[in-house]
Amino acid sequence: MNSPAPRRVAIVGAGMVGLATAWHLQEHGVEVTVLEREGVAAGASWGNAGWLAPGMAMPLSDPSLWAYGPRAMLDPAAPLSIPLRVDPTLWSFLTRFISRATNRAWAQTMDALTGIDLLALEAFDELVAGGVQAETKEQPFIIGFEKEEQSRHFRHEMELVERAGQSVPLTTVENPRQLVPQLTDAVRTVLALGGQRFMAPGDFVEALAQSVRERGGVIDTTATVTRATRRGNGVVAELGDGRSVDADAIVLANGAWLPGLAREHGVRTLVQAGRGYSFSVATDQPAEYPIYFPNRRVACTPFHGRLRIAGTMEFRRPDEPLRARRIDDIVNSVRPLFTNMDLDDRQDEWVGSRPVTPDGLPLVGATATPGVYVAGGHGMWGIVLGPATGKLLAQQMMTGVVAPQIAPFDPLR
């Protein structure tokens, strides 16, 4: 080891990744302080689909982007939304992101993700067994297509995921409306994906925060961290209100806002906010299964007796306000596919910024500054990979040993 194991750690960000890191550091006897500017699960952790689906935690950039991307830029209602504005950072990100849209790059990224994908569900079980008062549910994921030929790309992706080392059982549903009465006859081909889970993400993250508190951790939801600096043998988190927090080490887990703090510590990989939207609707009959429409890029999840509908990848700045038109675009996209629900009676409308890297890999590990670590850049997979990330990063911080599952995520790459 290059330095002693930390006894006090400050963690920036009270989402799934930051809180899971805090919880696992507590398992090593570390005193933790979580610094958050708004509230628990205030970023991308609250309103996402809540899918614990490591079988679908795959690279976002794939060869279909070469055909789909240009069309999306010209279609304001497309699931992929890219603003036509002068933004050198955004266009630099997009250039690198699209350059990864090859079969070879996709396979390389999938191989790098598979190790942590295989640990993902077990890591949730460890949190629950350790006292986190929340649950995950396992049900088949219903994958719907309007035409049989549309299912070929998804089937091929699942074959590649299995080739990389996961088990993703996929079967055809013969009578889908008996299983999912919310589907219309327009959904002609339906598959069932097994081995995945789902949950209410905000509830789980709140329960994780409560567990951190009960174990002696401090969560300050009025703390805007403006800088993390090395001082003596430790680090200091400087806050916007003039306060500061001293610690032996600090973890930057502030999602799409990561570059603002991490850049001065040698982290040069771009992180772009990929904003997702969601809302919930009531259904005439209970929604029991997660539903995914790959061609529409819409993911749906049973949520507090309703159905949460989530979609879009909008490359904008993380703090821009919710754009109501994007909600309307999702509604119009799925209206022909759903029945027995009122899509115009919506609750819980939300936008959250997911941290997307050009190469599709997270940023997890030590920076160029001793005592400063990062944990972020998971894109759409921060919820499902957060607990495993927190566990492996805590081990690295305490032992100096980088687990092979996070070695590809070196933030200094």
Side-chain angles (χ1 to χ4, degrees):
M1 291 179 58
N2 297 323
S3 60
R7 294 173 297 173
R8 297 175 303 151
V9 174
I11 296 154
V12 185
M16 177 67 88
V17 175
L19 289 169
T21 304
W23 193 93
H24 280 287
L25 285 168
Q26 289 178 315
E27 289 286 277
H28 292 278
V30 175
E31 177 185 325
V32 299
T33 300
V34 180
L35 305 171
E36 166 60 48
R37 64 175 187 162
E38 291 186 28
V40 171
S45 288
W46 186 83
N48 63 83
W51 283 15
L52 308 184
M56 286 191 281
M58 63 183 76
L60 294 177
S61 184
D62 66 48
S64 68
L65 267 180
W66 293 105
Y68 174 71
R71 293 201 308 270
M73 293 181 64
L74 299 175
D75 181 1
L80 175 62
S81 175
I82 303 171
L84 296 176
R85 60 169 59 151
V86 178
D87 187 337
T89 301
L90 171 61
W91 292 106
S92 178
F93 165 84
L94 289 172
T95 299
R96 301 179 195 189
F97 183 72
I98 294 173
S99 74
R100 300 287 299 178
T102 67
N103 289 323
R104 181 178 179 183
W106 193 96
Q108 290 173 340
T109 303
M110 190 68 243
D111 285 342
L113 288 170
T114 295
I116 197 166
D117 284 345
L118 291 170
L119 298 179
L121 299 182
E122 177 184 314
F124 276 89
D125 293 338
E126 183 173 356
L127 292 177
V128 173
V132 176
Q133 298 296 307
E135 64 175 0
T136 66
K137 299 179 181 179
E138 182 171 351
Q139 288 277 36
F141 278 48
I142 304 303
I143 318 296
F145 304 90
E146 293 152 83
K147 300 177 181 178
E148 168 63 30
E149 56 265 30
Q150 293 174 345
S151 71
R152 293 172 187 165
H153 180 68
F154 184 80
R155 293 178 192 268
H156 179 61
E157 283 187 325
M158 292 300 99
E159 290 172 0
L160 295 176
V161 169
E162 286 211 322
R163 193 177 303 170
Q166 292 196 62
S167 174
V168 283
L170 197 63
T171 58
T172 300
V173 179
E174 298 298 339
N175 298 296
R177 269 151 291 282
Q178 292 182 9
L179 192 68
V180 187
Q182 290 82 19
L183 297 179
T184 69
D185 290 338
V187 185
R188 294 185 174 90
T189 298
V190 176
L191 308 177
L193 176 66
Q196 318 300 308
R197 305 185 201 171
F198 66 96
M199 46 77 157
D203 294 353
F204 197 103
V205 176
E206 287 282 1
L208 180 56
Q210 183 60 28
S211 181
V212 169
R213 293 189 186 100
E214 290 171 352
R215 288 147 54 104
V218 174
I219 301 178
D220 183 345
T221 56
T222 65
T224 300
V225 179
T226 58
R227 194 180 182 197
T229 59
R230 183 77 180 171
R231 183 179 298 173
N233 293 324
V235 296
V236 176
E238 300 176 8
L239 308 186
D241 58 7
R243 293 181 293 152
S244 63
V245 176
D246 296 317
D248 299 320
I250 189 168
V251 178
L252 309 179
N254 54 329
W257 296 266
L258 184 64
L261 297 177
R263 191 175 296 112
E264 69 174 289
H265 301 290
V267 180
R268 296 289 180 257
T269 299
L270 295 174
V271 176
Q272 169 64 44
R275 292 160 26 115
Y277 287 75
S278 73
F279 55 90
S280 72
V281 296
T283 58
D284 293 351
Q285 296 170 267
E288 298 181 18
Y289 303 94
I291 304 167
Y292 181 38
F293 301 116
N295 283 64
R296 308 279 181 148
R297 270 78 167 180
V298 174
C300 312
T301 316
F303 174 74
H304 292 179
R306 298 168 65 83
L307 185 70
R308 171 173 280 176
I309 301 176
T312 82
M313 174 63 74
E314 182 183 60
F315 288 139
R316 288 181 175 265
R317 299 184 185 98
D319 285 315
E320 291 189 39
L322 181 149
R323 300 170 66 230
R325 175 174 180 170
R326 298 304 290 165
I327 298 284
D328 293 338
D329 291 337
I330 298 172
V331 171
N332 293 334
S333 176
V334 300
R335 196 180 292 278
L337 311 180
F338 276 140
T339 186
N340 299 321
M341 66 179 72
D342 185 354
L343 289 166
D344 297 315
D345 182 16
R346 300 186 292 273
Q347 297 180 11
D348 312 307
E349 293 189 351
W350 171 90
V351 63
S353 294
R354 301 162 297 198
V356 182
T357 62
D359 62 6
L361 296 177
L363 302 166
V364 182
T367 70
T369 303
V372 179
Y373 299 81
V374 298
H378 293 79
M380 295 173 62
W381 317 119
I383 285 291
V384 62
L385 301 182
T389 294
K391 179 177 182 175
L392 297 179
L393 179 58
Q395 290 176 358
Q396 177 181 346
M397 295 173 68
M398 300 306 294
T399 68
V401 177
V402 180
Q405 292 89 347
I406 60 171
F409 309 155
D410 182 356
L412 301 180
R413 63 181 184 269

